[in-house]
Amino acid sequence: MGSEDQATTMFNNTFVRPAKFYISGFSNIPHIRYFYVFLCFVYIMTVLGNGFLLLVIWLVKTLHTPKYMIVFNMALTDLCGSTALIPKVLDTFLFDRRYIIYDACLSYMFFVMFFGSVQSWTLVIMAYDRLIAICLPLRYHNIVTETSITAILLFVWCFFVIAIATMIGLLNRLSFCRSLVINSFFCDHGPTFRLACNDTTVNFNLVISLIIIILIIPLAFIMATYICISIAVSRTAFREKRLRALKTCTSHLILVAIFFLPWTGTNLAAVTSYIHPNARMINSALTHTIPPLLNPIIYALKTEEVMNAIKKLCKRHYLSNKKKRKT
């Protein structure tokens, strides 16, 4: 009998709070270890990229603006989200530690979902910043201030702490008697609450509400933002000004595409047709891990201010080293 079968039959009785869950992960995929090695590489590059972007924003005073407070928040949530997920995935499957204590599973679930939610709404705040900068340029510095951005970011963090904690707290009211095998690569909320024997209507309704809040409302807001931006840009007489305005939006649009398109595609496929568990899990793994890897690269290469800040830091470092050699 395999370890997954043992996990299924190990607890035949109803448990309000089982001692452990078993994370099944990918099944019958040849050379899957290469995928875990790839995830390890992705994590190292994510830490280096986001850590470097955080350091640049922290050290260069010209980047101490409301816009880069939002970018700093994105880099921080990317770093924390990847750290919450990837090391545990590698530990689970590379070292075959698939059993996870109940409380540890819920904590794992909370941090992965929380940072993913904050990433989504950080993109919304970025869209808001671009909207005011392009549509109301003369009032930009009065509307988008450090105080207002701090208040918005704090609200987003506090809201999702409460929302995700409530969603996960509701798992405590469930009884798990069918199986304790989570058909995912981490303690995923959907596959976990579906293991319960009693009524999960409240859990399901809350999940739908959060999908609307985390995916649908942000996408709708961002689309509406860019419709307003397009109208404002089309009214600009000078072609150079139009191109300059659009250039400031390219980095954000790329971030939106790489974050929302995979999530939307996976959820639509899950709702409208059958998607193989392995395909769903691989897509979900890449959706959680690739955007945090690419975000700092896109911002470093596509944003002139960041490139100038990096050059300034390199020049400062070079001059300080030169001064030390002379002394």
Side-chain angles (χ1 to χ4, degrees), residues 284-304:
S284 181
L286 295 175
T287 303
H288 275 96
T289 55
I290 298 301
L293 168 70
L294 296 180
N295 289 351
I297 298 168
I298 291 163
Y299 252 92
L301 297 178
K302 283 276 180 185
T303 312
E304 193 176 331

PDB file of all heavy atoms in Angstrom, residues 284-304:
ATOM      1  N   SER A 284      -0.651  26.352 -11.486  1.00  0.00           N
ATOM      2  CA  SER A 284      -0.761  27.096 -10.233  1.00  0.00           C
ATOM      3  C   SER A 284       0.623  27.406  -9.659  1.00  0.00           C
ATOM      4  O   SER A 284       0.874  28.517  -9.173  1.00  0.00           O
ATOM      5  CB  SER A 284      -1.587  26.297  -9.223  1.00  0.00           C
ATOM      6  OG  SER A 284      -1.722  26.992  -8.013  1.00  0.00           O
ATOM      7  N   ALA A 285       1.527  26.419  -9.719  1.00  0.00           N
ATOM      8  CA  ALA A 285       2.891  26.612  -9.216  1.00  0.00           C
ATOM      9  C   ALA A 285       3.601  27.721  -9.986  1.00  0.00           C
ATOM     10  O   ALA A 285       4.250  28.594  -9.390  1.00  0.00           O
ATOM     11  CB  ALA A 285       3.682  25.315  -9.314  1.00  0.00           C
ATOM     12  N   LEU A 286       3.465  27.705 -11.313  1.00  0.00           N
ATOM     13  CA  LEU A 286       4.110  28.729 -12.142  1.00  0.00           C
ATOM     14  C   LEU A 286       3.469  30.097 -11.925  1.00  0.00           C
ATOM     15  O   LEU A 286       4.152  31.118 -11.927  1.00  0.00           O
ATOM     16  CB  LEU A 286       4.040  28.329 -13.623  1.00  0.00           C
ATOM     17  CG  LEU A 286       4.828  27.072 -14.007  1.00  0.00           C
ATOM     18  CD1 LEU A 286       4.597  26.708 -15.467  1.00  0.00           C
ATOM     19  CD2 LEU A 286       6.325  27.248 -13.738  1.00  0.00           C
ATOM     20  N   THR A 287       2.141  30.104 -11.721  1.00  0.00           N
ATOM     21  CA  THR A 287       1.427  31.364 -11.475  1.00  0.00           C
ATOM     22  C   THR A 287       1.858  32.002 -10.166  1.00  0.00           C
ATOM     23  O   THR A 287       1.954  33.229 -10.061  1.00  0.00           O
ATOM     24  CB  THR A 287      -0.099  31.107 -11.462  1.00  0.00           C
ATOM     25  OG1 THR A 287      -0.477  30.511 -12.692  1.00  0.00           O
ATOM     26  CG2 THR A 287      -0.882  32.380 -11.282  1.00  0.00           C
ATOM     27  N   HIS A 288       2.145  31.166  -9.163  1.00  0.00           N
ATOM     28  CA  HIS A 288       2.602  31.679  -7.869  1.00  0.00           C
ATOM     29  C   HIS A 288       4.055  32.140  -7.909  1.00  0.00           C
ATOM     30  O   HIS A 288       4.448  33.013  -7.131  1.00  0.00           O
ATOM     31  CB  HIS A 288       2.477  30.583  -6.792  1.00  0.00           C
ATOM     32  CG  HIS A 288       1.133  30.497  -6.167  1.00  0.00           C
ATOM     33  ND1 HIS A 288       0.164  29.612  -6.589  1.00  0.00           N
ATOM     34  CD2 HIS A 288       0.570  31.184  -5.142  1.00  0.00           C
ATOM     35  CE1 HIS A 288      -0.923  29.753  -5.837  1.00  0.00           C
ATOM     36  NE2 HIS A 288      -0.698  30.707  -4.962  1.00  0.00           N
ATOM     37  N   THR A 289       4.884  31.546  -8.785  1.00  0.00           N
ATOM     38  CA  THR A 289       6.329  31.747  -8.683  1.00  0.00           C
ATOM     39  C   THR A 289       6.958  32.603  -9.791  1.00  0.00           C
ATOM     40  O   THR A 289       7.943  33.296  -9.532  1.00  0.00           O
ATOM     41  CB  THR A 289       7.057  30.382  -8.675  1.00  0.00           C
ATOM     42  OG1 THR A 289       6.667  29.628  -9.848  1.00  0.00           O
ATOM     43  CG2 THR A 289       6.698  29.584  -7.429  1.00  0.00           C
ATOM     44  N   ILE A 290       6.403  32.579 -11.011  1.00  0.00           N
ATOM     45  CA  ILE A 290       7.026  33.304 -12.129  1.00  0.00           C
ATOM     46  C   ILE A 290       6.842  34.827 -12.031  1.00  0.00           C
ATOM     47  O   ILE A 290       7.813  35.570 -12.222  1.00  0.00           O
ATOM     48  CB  ILE A 290       6.538  32.759 -13.487  1.00  0.00           C
ATOM     49  CG1 ILE A 290       6.943  31.282 -13.647  1.00  0.00           C
ATOM     50  CG2 ILE A 290       7.092  33.580 -14.637  1.00  0.00           C
ATOM     51  CD1 ILE A 290       8.442  31.019 -13.569  1.00  0.00           C
ATOM     52  N   PRO A 291       5.620  35.349 -11.714  1.00  0.00           N
ATOM     53  CA  PRO A 291       5.497  36.811 -11.589  1.00  0.00           C
ATOM     54  C   PRO A 291       6.472  37.442 -10.586  1.00  0.00           C
ATOM     55  O   PRO A 291       7.104  38.449 -10.910  1.00  0.00           O
ATOM     56  CB  PRO A 291       4.031  37.000 -11.178  1.00  0.00           C
ATOM     57  CG  PRO A 291       3.329  35.841 -11.780  1.00  0.00           C
ATOM     58  CD  PRO A 291       4.292  34.701 -11.644  1.00  0.00           C
ATOM     59  N   PRO A 292       6.645  36.863  -9.368  1.00  0.00           N
ATOM     60  CA  PRO A 292       7.629  37.461  -8.446  1.00  0.00           C
ATOM     61  C   PRO A 292       9.059  37.450  -8.984  1.00  0.00           C
ATOM     62  O   PRO A 292       9.864  38.305  -8.616  1.00  0.00           O
ATOM     63  CB  PRO A 292       7.521  36.580  -7.193  1.00  0.00           C
ATOM     64  CG  PRO A 292       6.152  36.011  -7.246  1.00  0.00           C
ATOM     65  CD  PRO A 292       5.883  35.795  -8.695  1.00  0.00           C
ATOM     66  N   LEU A 293       9.363  36.467  -9.859  1.00  0.00           N
ATOM     67  CA  LEU A 293      10.693  36.413 -10.485  1.00  0.00           C
ATOM     68  C   LEU A 293      10.851  37.523 -11.519  1.00  0.00           C
ATOM     69  O   LEU A 293      11.891  38.186 -11.584  1.00  0.00           O
ATOM     70  CB  LEU A 293      10.892  35.040 -11.153  1.00  0.00           C
ATOM     71  CG  LEU A 293      12.091  34.903 -12.102  1.00  0.00           C
ATOM     72  CD1 LEU A 293      13.399  34.942 -11.317  1.00  0.00           C
ATOM     73  CD2 LEU A 293      11.989  33.618 -12.908  1.00  0.00           C
ATOM     74  N   LEU A 294       9.809  37.745 -12.339  1.00  0.00           N
ATOM     75  CA  LEU A 294       9.902  38.686 -13.457  1.00  0.00           C
ATOM     76  C   LEU A 294       9.683  40.144 -13.057  1.00  0.00           C
ATOM     77  O   LEU A 294      10.219  41.043 -13.712  1.00  0.00           O
ATOM     78  CB  LEU A 294       8.878  38.296 -14.540  1.00  0.00           C
ATOM     79  CG  LEU A 294       9.087  36.942 -15.214  1.00  0.00           C
ATOM     80  CD1 LEU A 294       8.003  36.705 -16.245  1.00  0.00           C
ATOM     81  CD2 LEU A 294      10.457  36.844 -15.873  1.00  0.00           C
ATOM     82  N   ASN A 295       8.898  40.386 -12.003  1.00  0.00           N
ATOM     83  CA  ASN A 295       8.553  41.765 -11.631  1.00  0.00           C
ATOM     84  C   ASN A 295       9.762  42.682 -11.452  1.00  0.00           C
ATOM     85  O   ASN A 295       9.804  43.766 -12.034  1.00  0.00           O
ATOM     86  CB  ASN A 295       7.682  41.776 -10.370  1.00  0.00           C
ATOM     87  CG  ASN A 295       6.277  41.247 -10.638  1.00  0.00           C
ATOM     88  OD1 ASN A 295       5.899  41.020 -11.788  1.00  0.00           O
ATOM     89  ND2 ASN A 295       5.511  41.054  -9.590  1.00  0.00           N
ATOM     90  N   PRO A 296      10.773  42.290 -10.654  1.00  0.00           N
ATOM     91  CA  PRO A 296      11.927  43.202 -10.487  1.00  0.00           C
ATOM     92  C   PRO A 296      12.718  43.382 -11.772  1.00  0.00           C
ATOM     93  O   PRO A 296      13.263  44.466 -12.018  1.00  0.00           O
ATOM     94  CB  PRO A 296      12.776  42.520  -9.405  1.00  0.00           C
ATOM     95  CG  PRO A 296      12.358  41.096  -9.411  1.00  0.00           C
ATOM     96  CD  PRO A 296      10.917  41.090  -9.811  1.00  0.00           C
ATOM     97  N   ILE A 297      12.785  42.336 -12.601  1.00  0.00           N
ATOM     98  CA  ILE A 297      13.506  42.436 -13.886  1.00  0.00           C
ATOM     99  C   ILE A 297      12.806  43.448 -14.785  1.00  0.00           C
ATOM    100  O   ILE A 297      13.441  44.321 -15.385  1.00  0.00           O
ATOM    101  CB  ILE A 297      13.580  41.051 -14.587  1.00  0.00           C
ATOM    102  CG1 ILE A 297      14.363  40.061 -13.713  1.00  0.00           C
ATOM    103  CG2 ILE A 297      14.228  41.178 -15.961  1.00  0.00           C
ATOM    104  CD1 ILE A 297      14.257  38.622 -14.170  1.00  0.00           C
ATOM    105  N   ILE A 298      11.472  43.360 -14.848  1.00  0.00           N
ATOM    106  CA  ILE A 298      10.686  44.277 -15.687  1.00  0.00           C
ATOM    107  C   ILE A 298      10.854  45.708 -15.198  1.00  0.00           C
ATOM    108  O   ILE A 298      11.079  46.626 -15.990  1.00  0.00           O
ATOM    109  CB  ILE A 298       9.199  43.862 -15.697  1.00  0.00           C
ATOM    110  CG1 ILE A 298       9.039  42.542 -16.449  1.00  0.00           C
ATOM    111  CG2 ILE A 298       8.317  44.943 -16.319  1.00  0.00           C
ATOM    112  CD1 ILE A 298       7.737  41.837 -16.192  1.00  0.00           C
ATOM    113  N   TYR A 299      10.802  45.899 -13.873  1.00  0.00           N
ATOM    114  CA  TYR A 299      10.926  47.253 -13.337  1.00  0.00           C
ATOM    115  C   TYR A 299      12.334  47.809 -13.500  1.00  0.00           C
ATOM    116  O   TYR A 299      12.524  48.996 -13.768  1.00  0.00           O
ATOM    117  CB  TYR A 299      10.476  47.316 -11.875  1.00  0.00           C
ATOM    118  CG  TYR A 299       9.161  48.042 -11.787  1.00  0.00           C
ATOM    119  CD1 TYR A 299       7.964  47.337 -11.833  1.00  0.00           C
ATOM    120  CD2 TYR A 299       9.107  49.425 -11.737  1.00  0.00           C
ATOM    121  CE1 TYR A 299       6.756  48.003 -11.816  1.00  0.00           C
ATOM    122  CE2 TYR A 299       7.901  50.099 -11.717  1.00  0.00           C
ATOM    123  CZ  TYR A 299       6.728  49.389 -11.756  1.00  0.00           C
ATOM    124  OH  TYR A 299       5.541  50.048 -11.762  1.00  0.00           O
ATOM    125  N   ALA A 300      13.338  46.948 -13.379  1.00  0.00           N
ATOM    126  CA  ALA A 300      14.729  47.411 -13.519  1.00  0.00           C
ATOM    127  C   ALA A 300      15.050  47.767 -14.969  1.00  0.00           C
ATOM    128  O   ALA A 300      15.730  48.758 -15.236  1.00  0.00           O
ATOM    129  CB  ALA A 300      15.679  46.341 -13.011  1.00  0.00           C
ATOM    130  N   LEU A 301      14.546  46.974 -15.908  1.00  0.00           N
ATOM    131  CA  LEU A 301      14.891  47.175 -17.319  1.00  0.00           C
ATOM    132  C   LEU A 301      13.970  48.167 -18.021  1.00  0.00           C
ATOM    133  O   LEU A 301      14.385  48.853 -18.948  1.00  0.00           O
ATOM    134  CB  LEU A 301      14.858  45.833 -18.067  1.00  0.00           C
ATOM    135  CG  LEU A 301      15.866  44.770 -17.597  1.00  0.00           C
ATOM    136  CD1 LEU A 301      15.674  43.489 -18.382  1.00  0.00           C
ATOM    137  CD2 LEU A 301      17.298  45.264 -17.754  1.00  0.00           C
ATOM    138  N   LYS A 302      12.711  48.228 -17.597  1.00  0.00           N
ATOM    139  CA  LYS A 302      11.721  49.050 -18.294  1.00  0.00           C
ATOM    140  C   LYS A 302      11.542  50.449 -17.705  1.00  0.00           C
ATOM    141  O   LYS A 302      10.939  51.306 -18.335  1.00  0.00           O
ATOM    142  CB  LYS A 302      10.363  48.329 -18.287  1.00  0.00           C
ATOM    143  CG  LYS A 302      10.245  47.195 -19.299  1.00  0.00           C
ATOM    144  CD  LYS A 302       9.856  47.746 -20.647  1.00  0.00           C
ATOM    145  CE  LYS A 302       9.735  46.634 -21.672  1.00  0.00           C
ATOM    146  NZ  LYS A 302       9.476  47.187 -23.007  1.00  0.00           N
ATOM    147  N   THR A 303      12.047  50.674 -16.496  1.00  0.00           N
ATOM    148  CA  THR A 303      11.818  51.957 -15.835  1.00  0.00           C
ATOM    149  C   THR A 303      13.109  52.756 -15.805  1.00  0.00           C
ATOM    150  O   THR A 303      14.104  52.347 -15.203  1.00  0.00           O
ATOM    151  CB  THR A 303      11.291  51.738 -14.402  1.00  0.00           C
ATOM    152  OG1 THR A 303      10.226  50.795 -14.452  1.00  0.00           O
ATOM    153  CG2 THR A 303      10.774  53.027 -13.796  1.00  0.00           C
ATOM    154  N   GLU A 304      13.073  53.925 -16.458  1.00  0.00           N
ATOM    155  CA  GLU A 304      14.262  54.768 -16.590  1.00  0.00           C
ATOM    156  C   GLU A 304      14.755  55.247 -15.229  1.00  0.00           C
ATOM    157  O   GLU A 304      15.969  55.292 -14.980  1.00  0.00           O
ATOM    158  CB  GLU A 304      13.918  55.969 -17.477  1.00  0.00           C
ATOM    159  CG  GLU A 304      15.137  56.736 -17.949  1.00  0.00           C
ATOM    160  CD  GLU A 304      14.772  57.867 -18.896  1.00  0.00           C
ATOM    161  OE1 GLU A 304      13.748  57.746 -19.598  1.00  0.00           O
ATOM    162  OE2 GLU A 304      15.506  58.867 -18.904  1.00  0.00           O
TER     163      GLU A 304
END
